[in-house]
Amino acid sequence: MNLRNVAIIAHVDHGKTTLVDALLAQSGVFRANEATTERAMDSNDQERERGITILAKCTSILWNGKAGETRINIIDTPGHADFGGEVERILGMVDGCVLLVDAEEGVMPQTKFVLTKALKMGLRPILCINKVDRAHADPDRVLNETFDLFAALGATDEQLDFPVIYASGRSGWASLDLNTPKDNLHDLYDLIVDHVPAPAAQERVNEPFQILNVLIESDPFLGRILTGRIHSGKAVPGMAIKALSRDGKTIEQGRITKVLAFRGLKRQPVDDAEAGDIVAIAGMSKATVADTLCALEVTDALPSLPIDPPTISMTVGVNDSPLAGREGDKVQSRVIRDRLLKEAEANVAIRITETPGADAYEVAGRGELQLGVLIENMRREGFELSISRPRVVYQKDENGQVLEPIEDVMIDVDEEYSGIVIEKLSARKAEMTDMGPSGAGKTRIQLKCPSRALIGYQGEFLTDTRGSGVLNRVFSHYEPHKGSIEGRLKGVLVSNSDGETASYALWNLEERGVMFVGAGEKTYQGMIIGENSRWDDLDVNPIKGKQLTNVRASGKDEAVRLTPPRKMSLEQAIAYIEEDELVEVTPKNIRLRKEILNPSFRKKRQKPE
C-alpha cells in the first residue's frame, strides 16, 4: 500500500488539532452514528482544560484519491515552545510536514522554531495558511512573511519551492486557490500524497528489523509501549529482539508481545508491520526514548537527534509545612523521586538531578509551563510537594564567562499600551529588534530578552495591557550575563500564628494590601496570606477574632464584608514567589510560604532602588 508519514507543525493556537479533527471526520474514520468530540487528539485532561496540545500523538487515515488508496500517518505536535522537545523527536519519524500559519497572526516565534528544525532535517514543508475566513485575515502578507522566514533560515531552492494551500480548519475546507473556496479537504489530502515522498525505509523491508523509539507510555495491561517508525525489516509478534542504547550497548533482550498500528484514533493489534510504518511495540521493560529496538544480529544503534538543553530549573522537595500530610497520600521523598525519574524517562526535555540537601530534587525543563504541567499532574495523582522559584540554567564558555539563555519575544498589544510594555521590558534588560502595526489596531513588538527577566512577568503584563495583550516567546540562544534584574517590588503579609483565619482580622488587614486567603482557611506561622502594599514583609495575625464585651448594643457594629481574595493558579504562584519563598502544592490547595518559617531566622528584604 502507498504510505505517507506527515507531521503538522505550527505555533500554539494556530489550529493544528482542529484541522486534524476535520481530516479525520472527512476520511471516513468515524461511523455515521459515532459520537465524536471537539479536538479529539487532545485526550489529556490538562490539554482540554488549557486548550493546548502537550503531548504529540499519532493518527492514521485512508485516502482514496488520484494516486489510489494511500494510508496517511498524521502526527499532531504541540505548538507551545515549552514542549519543543516533542517536536524535535517527532520530525525524525516523518518524511514531510504541513506548516500551519494563522492568516491573521502570521509568523510567530514558535513558527520559526519548528520550521528551523524541519528545514535542518531536510524536510520539504507544505505551507497551509489557516483561518483565512477570519475578519482580519491577510493571507498575502502571511505568505510573504513565511517566504522571508524560509529564506532567512537558509532553506534550499527545493525547500523554497513550497506549495501553498489555504484552509479553514473549523469550517473543514481547503483550496489551492484562495478565490475558489471549497466545502471539503480533498485538495489537502491530494497535496500531501503528491508532495510528501513515500518512506525510503520501504526499500529496506528485507533487511534485519530496526526501529528508533521516539515516544514512550505505560499501559496497565501491556506494560511499556514504545512508538517509532520502523527503519528496516518487519515487526512480528513473538519475534526475539533486543534494545540498544545510543552508544550501541545492549540494554535488554526480549520478545515483541504486541505490534499496535494506528487506525484512526485507535491503536489496533496487527499481525505484522513493515519498514516505513509508524507503530507501537509492547514487550520490553527497560528500553526508553532514543533507544533502538532491533533483531538480535544487529550491532549498531540508529542515530538519534540531540535535544536542545533545558533553560529553566526549580527545586522540588517534600512538603515540610505544619499542614503536611493532611490532603495527599504521596508525601515521602522516595515516592517523589521515583515519579520524577519516571517522567524524565518518558520526556527527554526534562532533566532530574539530586541536590545536596535532603529530600529535594532539581528539575530542569524548557519553561515554566512545562514544569507547571508536570507539577499539576503530580498534584492530581495525590502528591504533596514544595516548589522553589524557577531559576535559569546558566552555561560557561571556554573562557569561563557565564552565559544566560536569551529568548525571542513577540508581543501583540493595543497601541495605547505599547509604551508601558516597552518601558517595563527595557528595565528587565530586553532589547527591541522590531516594532510595527499588526492590523486591527494592534502593535507588534519584537524583542530579545533574558529568560530570567520573563519569570513572573506574565501577570504584570496582563495587568498593564488590561488583559488584551498576547505574549509569545521561544528560546533563541545564549549570551553573556546581563547583570542583575530587579525582582518583585512589593513585600508580603506573613502569618505569625497557627489556626484558622478570622473575618474580623482579615477585614482589618485589607488596608495593608491584597489578601490571598479567605475567612475560615487554615494558616500557620510563616505562611504568606497576602501582598503588602509597601516594599517590606510584614508579620500579621490573621486569626485574631473580635473581643466581645457587654457594653455594646447589638447591631451597632458594621457587618464585616471582605474583598474576595486573589486566588493564584499554580503557574502564577510559582512565578510570584521570591528566592526565599516556596509554593506548597497539595491535591486540594496551593499555598505560599516563607522557606524559613521562624521569623527570627528569616532574612530581611532590601528596599528597591
Side-chain angles (χ1 to χ4, degrees):
M1 177 181 284
N2 285 335
L3 186 65
R4 299 291 185 272
N5 296 320
V6 64
I8 298 189
I9 57 175
H11 183 80
V12 64
D13 205 28
H14 278 198
K16 296 180 300 303
T17 308
T18 306
L19 182 66
V20 173
D21 275 359
L23 287 167
L24 286 167
Q26 293 186 27
S27 67
V29 164
F30 304 118
R31 298 189 311 273
N33 64 341
E34 187 173 353
T36 59
T37 56
E38 191 178 346
R39 301 201 328 272
M41 296 293 282
D42 285 350
S43 52
N44 183 302
D45 286 344
Q46 284 204 63
E47 289 179 323
R48 292 202 163 278
E49 290 166 20
R50 295 170 184 266
I52 60 173
T53 301
I54 295 172
L55 302 169
K57 299 175 201 70
C58 186
T59 186
S60 164
I61 59 176
L62 276 175
W63 173 241
N64 202 348
K66 301 172 187 171
E69 193 170 56
T70 306
R71 178 167 298 285
I72 305 175
N73 288 324
I74 301 172
I75 302 178
D76 182 24
T77 62
H80 201 283
D82 284 17
F83 309 107
E86 293 271 322
V87 180
E88 292 173 63
R89 288 181 285 145
I90 289 305
L91 290 176
M93 280 207 297
V94 297
D95 306 291
C97 62
V98 177
L99 176 68
L100 217 64
V101 184
D102 189 307
E104 184 179 331
E105 290 187 353
V107 171
M108 301 295 275
Q110 183 69 0
T111 312
K112 179 181 176 183
F113 173 82
V114 294
L115 182 59
T116 303
K117 300 292 180 187
L119 295 178
K120 194 181 290 184
M121 297 194 68
L123 301 180
R124 293 174 54 218
I126 295 169
L127 175 62
C128 178
I129 300 179
N130 195 27
K131 304 186 185 181
V132 292
D133 51 355
R134 290 179 74 173
H136 299 287
D138 190 351
D140 294 335
R141 171 182 62 83
V142 171
L143 177 57
N144 291 333
E145 280 181 7
T146 311
F147 185 86
D148 292 343
L149 179 62
F150 269 77
L153 294 177
T156 63
D157 290 344
E158 195 177 30
Q159 289 170 330
L160 278 170
D161 188 22
F162 54 84
V164 183
I165 190 164
Y166 304 93
S168 169
R170 183 172 289 278
S171 303
W173 62 264
S175 176
L176 295 169
D177 184 358
L178 185 59
N179 298 317
T180 56
K182 301 191 175 182
D183 56 0
N184 55 49
L185 292 164
H186 294 181
D187 281 3
L188 181 55
Y189 291 118
D190 287 331
L191 186 57
I192 290 172
V193 174
D194 293 343
H195 187 74
V196 176
Q202 287 183 314
E203 299 170 5
R204 299 189 289 268
V205 72
N206 295 320
E207 296 178 17
F209 168 70
Q210 280 182 298
I211 184 171
L212 180 68
N213 300 329
V214 174
L215 301 173
I216 180 175
E217 61 186 292
S218 182
D219 185 276
F221 302 105
L222 299 175
R224 185 170 296 204
I225 297 178
L226 302 156
T227 302
R229 180 173 65 170
I230 301 177
H231 181 262
S232 61
K234 286 185 179 182
V236 181
M239 182 173 139
I241 58 170
K242 64 181 179 181
L244 299 177
S245 62
R246 290 184 190 185
D247 52 6
K249 292 178 182 173
T250 301
I251 300 168
E252 62 172 330
Q253 290 190 10
R255 289 187 180 275
I256 298 176
T257 55
K258 277 273 197 308
V259 178
L260 303 166
F262 296 90
R263 300 293 180 258
L265 292 175
K266 301 182 179 72
R267 275 194 309 226
Q268 296 178 354
V270 292
D271 295 332
D272 60 38
E274 294 188 352
D277 204 358
I278 296 173
V279 295
I281 288 177
M284 306 304 272
S285 59
K286 295 179 184 174
T288 184
V289 171
D291 291 342
T292 302
L293 298 185
C294 57
L296 299 179
E297 63 266 28
V298 176
T299 55
D300 296 327
L302 294 171
S304 59
L305 287 172
I307 303 294
D308 283 350
T311 56
I312 297 283
S313 74
M314 62 169 64
T315 303
V316 177
V318 296
N319 180 18
D320 56 358
S321 84
L323 299 179
R326 300 190 187 185
E327 296 170 3
D329 56 0
K330 297 180 178 125
V331 295
Q332 306 96 330
S333 63
R334 170 183 53 81
V335 180
I336 293 170
R337 175 180 177 275
D338 290 347
R339 176 64 178 84
L340 290 173
L341 291 176
K342 182 182 174 185
E343 183 69 26
E345 189 179 76
N347 188 346
V348 292
I350 283 182
R351 190 173 64 208
I352 311 292
T353 51
E354 296 193 26
T355 62
D359 303 336
Y361 308 94
E362 191 85 9
V363 182
R366 284 289 183 83
E368 294 159 78
L369 179 62
Q370 184 188 30
L371 298 178
V373 166
L374 167 60
I375 301 302
E376 181 64 30
N377 279 333
M378 293 178 69
R379 176 190 174 205
R380 294 180 184 196
E381 292 164 17
F383 284 86
E384 285 197 16
L385 309 163
S386 64
I387 314 295
S388 76
R389 176 178 169 81
R391 303 173 294 276
V392 299
V393 177
Y394 295 109
Q395 291 188 353
K396 285 189 177 180
D397 62 11
E398 57 272 11
N399 302 320
Q401 187 179 26
V402 176
L403 306 177
E404 66 172 324
I406 303 294
E407 303 199 9
D408 284 327
V409 180
M410 188 179 285
I411 293 171
D412 284 322
V413 66
D414 292 340
E415 289 171 8
E416 63 262 35
Y417 303 128
S418 57
I420 183 74
V421 170
I422 294 169
E423 181 186 332
K424 289 276 181 78
L425 285 173
S426 298
R428 290 170 177 254
K429 313 285 188 191
E431 298 173 9
M432 190 166 69
T433 57
D434 194 17
M435 180 176 173
S438 63
K442 288 191 177 288
T443 300
R444 176 164 291 179
I445 307 164
Q446 296 183 42
L447 309 104
K448 299 273 187 192
C449 184
S451 295
R452 62 194 167 100
L454 296 170
I455 296 174
Y457 176 65
Q458 182 73 26
E460 195 178 328
F461 170 74
L462 291 174
T463 303
D464 291 340
T465 61
R466 305 296 187 272
S468 64
V470 178
L471 184 150
N472 290 290
R473 48 191 278 199
V474 66
F475 169 75
S476 174
H477 60 285
Y478 275 85
E479 277 187 16
H481 192 270
K482 293 185 175 292
S484 62
I485 295 174
E486 205 170 59
R488 193 180 68 214
L489 298 178
K490 293 184 178 179
V492 289
L493 303 175
V494 185
S495 172
N496 62 9
S497 308
D498 299 351
E500 288 194 0
T501 54
S503 301
Y504 180 72
L506 295 178
W507 183 60
N508 283 319
L509 289 172
E510 281 189 350
E511 62 188 34
R512 297 283 189 179
V514 180
M515 293 295 121
F516 297 159
V517 296
E521 294 188 27
K522 290 185 175 69
T523 183
Y524 52 84
Q525 184 182 40
M527 178 173 153
I528 297 170
I529 62 157
E531 181 179 82
N532 194 0
S533 55
R534 295 168 54 82
W535 60 269
D536 56 340
D537 294 342
L538 187 65
D539 286 334
V540 296
N541 185 352
I543 67 173
K544 183 180 178 183
K546 188 167 189 177
Q547 299 301 313
L548 299 177
T549 68
N550 60 355
V551 297
R552 277 197 321 273
S554 63
K556 188 94 173 172
D557 297 323
E558 296 176 17
V560 172
R561 287 188 183 150
L562 295 176
T563 306
R566 185 203 295 176
K567 292 292 184 184
M568 293 191 187
S569 67
L570 179 60
E571 279 86 21
Q572 288 170 335
I574 291 171
Y576 180 81
I577 57 174
E578 285 292 328
E579 292 293 337
D580 61 339
E581 296 163 0
L582 298 173
V583 179
E584 176 188 341
V585 178
T586 73
K588 295 180 181 175
N589 286 293
I590 295 171
R591 304 183 184 99
L592 309 183
R593 49 167 274 210
K594 285 291 181 181
E595 190 169 13
I596 299 171
L597 299 180
N598 191 328
S600 56
F601 295 107
R602 239 180 264 149
K603 69 176 185 181
K604 301 293 182 191
R605 269 176 67 85
Q606 299 296 314
K607 187 172 184 178
E609 297 176 5

